């Protein structure tokens, strides 16, 4: 990215330099006032056209630091107001370049955000333009790139940590079994622990594979007609053992016969993660309710529990990868911290969304809203074949 920006900046500077040179050679044959050019009050012919097609923020300053030309991006980011360059760091760079004629590159953070950002990070390149004290400033917004890099670093660090825990546990347990080879009871107990850690490692790997498959929010490659009832029953079957261990009843209700257009395996995965979470964060002898209802051109699937709830300050972060409201409880139950991130990406892959309502001490409700098959949420009686209902 930095290389491509430098190459683009070099090309632009070169192109503008050629235009300035041609302008100065052909000046006597054009009806351009010499005084205007010498005082830097006007741009040579063709320069404005080059600046207009640049994707980055571009500003041309005259010898007195007045803005002669600024791209719409430069004004949108707040770099320019009227005929003034607002970023003090850029102005200082421009003055240095004007004094010694050397091209300078830097990175700056500019307040006065765009699209909700507190600051915008720019890679900047400042170059002299012509021989009348004019200066070209190019600024490339790299805020999103830096954010993506930070997310990638966090993801790698989190994955490394999550993998290290079960792998380390397996290593220690193997050593313990070796030392306790003459104690069948201890061997059996530690072998069970090894199976638990191996299963945890397998869940993490499977969740990573699923997340990498869908996190690009790309359309599902081979969508089909999905019957919601069947997907919910499959998800509940996956979670019954965990629920029974805590005497938690899984209940399915609402409108039957609704369908969506999508991927049945992905939908079951999302529902299984929601139900698993509800069971993990609910006390014993409670209920988890899965309900379905039509909502115009969409189908809403809700999973409600009577669990501990989610603090208000955590609601905005619960769909982040590896974020845990209660890390100790999650690790104790074998959670990978990827379940809700998978749910979010499954919803996006179906052109839908997921939302949450929660109150501490009163439980939580997660709702998947997915486009209905055929554009309208219509229930199909079980006795009618799906093909005949189209």
């Amino acid at each position: 990215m930095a290389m491509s920006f430098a190459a683009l900046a070099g090309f632009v500077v070169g192109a503008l330099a050629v235009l300035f040179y041609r302008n100065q050679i052909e000046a006597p044959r054009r009806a351009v006032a010499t005084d205007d050019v010498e005082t830097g009050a006007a741009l040579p012919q063709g320069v404005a056209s080059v600046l207009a097609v640049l994707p980055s923020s571009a500003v041309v300053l005259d010898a007195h630091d007045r803005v002669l030309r600024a791209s719409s991006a430069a004004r949108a980011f707040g770099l320019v107001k009227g005929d003034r360059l607002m970023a003090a760091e850029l102005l200082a760079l421009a003055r240095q370049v004007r004094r010694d004629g050397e091209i300078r590159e830097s990175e700056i953070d500019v307040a006065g955000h765009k699209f909700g950002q507190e600051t915008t990070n720019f890679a900047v390149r400042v170059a002299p333009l012509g021989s009348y004290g004019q200066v070209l400033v190019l600024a490339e917004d790299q805020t999103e790139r830096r954010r993506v890099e930070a997310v990638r670093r966090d993801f790698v660090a989190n994955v490394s940590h999550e993998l290290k825990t079960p792998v380390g546990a397996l290593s220690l347990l193997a050593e313990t079994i070796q030392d306790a080879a003459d104690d069948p009871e201890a061997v059996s107990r530690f072998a069970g622990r090894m199976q638990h850690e191996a299963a945890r490692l397998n869940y993490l790997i499977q969740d990573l594979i699923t997340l990498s498959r869908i996190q690009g929010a790309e359309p599902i490659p081979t969508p089909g007609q999905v019957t919601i009832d069947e997907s919910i029953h499959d998800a509940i079957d996956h979670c019954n053992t965990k629920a029974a261990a805590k005497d938690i009843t899984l209940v399915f209700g609402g409108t039957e016969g609704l369908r969506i257009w999508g991927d049945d395996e992905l939908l079951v995965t999302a529902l299984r993660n929601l139900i698993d979470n509800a069971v993990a964060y609910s006390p014993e002898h409670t209920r988890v309710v899965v309900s379905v209802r039509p909502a115009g051109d969409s189908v809403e699937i809700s999973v409600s529990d009577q669990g501990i709830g989610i603090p208000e300050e955590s609601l905005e972060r619960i769909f982040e990868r590896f974020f845990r409201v209660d890390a100790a409880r999650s690790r104790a139950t074998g959670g990978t911290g990827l379940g809700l991130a998978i749910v979010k990406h499954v919803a996006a892959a179906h052109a839908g969304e997921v939302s949450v309502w929660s109150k501490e001490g009163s439980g939580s409700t997660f709702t998947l809203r997915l486009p209905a098959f055929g554009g309208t949420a219509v229930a199909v009686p079980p006795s009618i074949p799906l093909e005949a209902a189209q």
Side-chain angles (χ1 to χ4, degrees):
M1 185 70 177
M3 289 291 291
S4 61
F5 174 63
L8 173 63
F11 169 77
V12 172
V13 172
L16 292 179
V18 170
L19 286 172
F20 267 89
Y21 175 76
R22 289 180 57 191
N23 178 76
Q24 293 179 35
I25 293 299
E26 299 176 2
R29 291 176 288 176
R30 291 201 309 265
V32 177
T34 304
D35 290 343
D36 283 348
V37 177
E38 289 178 351
T39 58
L43 283 176
Q45 185 178 6
V47 173
S49 299
V50 173
L51 296 179
V53 299
L54 290 178
S56 55
S57 300
V59 182
V60 176
L61 301 175
D62 68 8
H64 307 291
D65 292 334
R66 292 194 305 263
V67 174
L68 293 180
R69 176 72 62 173
S71 65
S72 57
R75 296 187 182 278
F77 279 111
L79 294 175
V80 173
K81 287 187 179 179
D83 65 348
R84 295 175 57 204
L85 184 63
M86 303 304 295
E89 291 181 68
L90 278 182
L91 193 57
L93 278 176
R95 289 169 177 170
Q96 291 177 14
V97 169
R98 186 182 293 115
R99 282 196 301 269
D100 58 27
E102 293 185 5
I103 296 175
R104 283 182 167 79
E105 296 181 358
S106 184
E107 289 189 9
I108 65 169
D109 291 320
V110 177
H113 57 277
K114 181 184 180 186
F115 303 133
Q117 297 167 350
E118 293 182 1
T119 60
T120 304
N121 180 265
F122 290 98
V124 299
R125 188 177 177 90
V126 185
L129 205 57
S131 57
Y132 301 107
Q134 293 177 336
V135 175
L136 171 66
V137 178
L138 295 177
E140 184 75 15
D141 177 19
Q142 57 178 10
T143 308
E144 180 63 18
R145 179 176 65 85
R146 292 186 67 179
R147 187 193 67 80
V148 171
E149 287 179 354
V151 169
R152 179 183 59 79
R153 287 195 301 270
D154 289 345
F155 180 68
V156 171
N158 283 324
V159 168
S160 301
H161 175 76
E162 295 295 332
L163 288 173
K164 182 180 178 181
T165 303
V167 169
L170 286 171
S171 177
L172 289 174
L173 288 168
E175 291 179 8
T176 305
I177 287 179
Q178 189 174 24
D179 293 338
D182 297 332
D183 186 347
E185 184 178 343
V187 169
S188 177
R189 183 171 68 255
F190 290 125
R193 288 289 306 279
M194 291 184 70
Q195 288 179 332
H196 173 78
E197 294 297 338
R200 179 180 172 185
L201 188 59
N202 181 62
Y203 291 146
L204 177 58
I205 293 171
Q206 289 299 321
D207 280 351
L208 286 170
I209 292 172
T210 301
L211 191 58
S212 66
R213 172 188 169 194
I214 61 175
Q215 67 180 350
E218 298 176 356
I220 297 169
T222 55
Q225 187 177 182
V226 178
T227 305
I228 300 296
D229 302 351
E230 295 178 2
S231 298
I232 292 175
H233 284 304
D234 286 347
I236 288 176
D237 285 344
H238 277 97
C239 303
N240 262 328
T241 301
K242 290 184 179 179
K246 297 178 65 175
D247 192 25
I248 292 176
T249 305
L250 303 181
V251 180
F252 171 39
T255 305
E256 297 184 358
L258 294 174
R259 300 161 297 156
I260 65 165
W261 184 255
D263 185 296
D264 176 64
E265 182 181 346
L266 287 180
L267 181 59
V268 171
T269 297
L271 292 172
R272 174 177 58 79
N273 278 300
L274 288 177
I275 298 171
D276 267 344
N277 267 10
V279 170
Y281 288 92
S282 293
E284 297 180 349
H285 319 303
T286 56
R287 297 199 313 168
V288 171
V289 178
V290 184
S291 60
V292 185
R293 73 180 189 93
D297 60 354
S298 301
V299 175
E300 290 188 351
I301 310 170
S302 297
V303 178
S304 302
D305 62 58
Q306 300 168 292
I308 61 175
I310 303 168
E312 186 176 353
E313 63 271 15
S314 298
L315 286 175
E316 293 184 358
R317 299 193 57 197
I318 55 173
F319 294 104
E320 295 178 11
R321 290 169 294 189
F322 297 111
F323 179 77
R324 294 179 171 97
V325 176
D326 186 341
R329 180 189 292 260
S330 180
R331 290 192 173 93
T333 57
T336 65
L338 294 173
L340 291 180
I342 290 173
V343 173
K344 173 186 173 182
H345 288 295
V346 168
H350 285 80
E353 60 182 7
V354 59
S355 59
V356 58
W357 172 92
S358 186
K359 184 177 180 181
E360 286 188 272
S362 300
S364 305
T365 297
F366 287 84
T367 301
L368 275 172
R369 186 181 179 94
L370 306 174
F373 177 76
T376 305
V378 177
V380 178
S383 59
I384 299 179
L386 291 176
E387 291 76 9
Q390 297 182 24

